[in-house]
Amino acid sequence: MFPTLAIGDHVFVQANSGCIKEGVLVLAEVEGRLIVHRVIELGSNEVILKGDNSPEPDKPIGNAQVIGVITMRDCSPRNLDSVHP
């Protein structure tokens, strides 16, 4: 997710409460792994994600695979940044 997130950044996740929309960063479980990617398309039953530095979008996943929305990142001991405008 570079340049939005870097190795070592900590993220804050708001549990999935229906606040997912296109353009936000989400934490999702895909093939047994946790990933942070951006929502590029939101359907009624599936979501398409893409890493900011990836040339192609990911395969669609079910809405239930999205754990929550990334709300903030901590890139240093005293520096909290919102990841959404």
Side-chain angles (χ1 to χ4, degrees):
M1 284 302 302
F2 185 80
T4 305
L5 298 174
I7 294 172
D9 286 355
H10 294 92
V11 294
F12 295 79
V13 181
Q14 179 180 351
N16 187 357
S17 59
C19 56
I20 298 168
K21 59 184 180 181
E22 290 181 10
V24 300
L25 295 178
V26 296
L27 176 67
E29 183 177 354
V30 179
E31 299 177 357
R33 297 180 315 138
L34 295 177
I35 64 167
V36 174
H37 278 184
R38 192 172 303 280
V39 175
I40 61 167
E41 193 173 322
L42 183 61
S44 58
N45 296 317
E46 66 182 24
V47 179
I48 298 177
L49 305 176
K50 180 181 174 293
D52 285 355
N53 215 12
S54 299
E56 299 293 326
D58 302 335
K59 295 178 184 177
I61 62 170
N63 290 347
Q65 291 176 258
V66 177
I67 297 167
V69 174
I70 306 300
T71 58
M72 300 185 85
R73 71 180 171 125
D74 180 1
C75 51
S76 71
R78 293 188 170 86
N79 185 16
L80 295 176
D81 293 327
S82 174
V83 293
H84 302 292

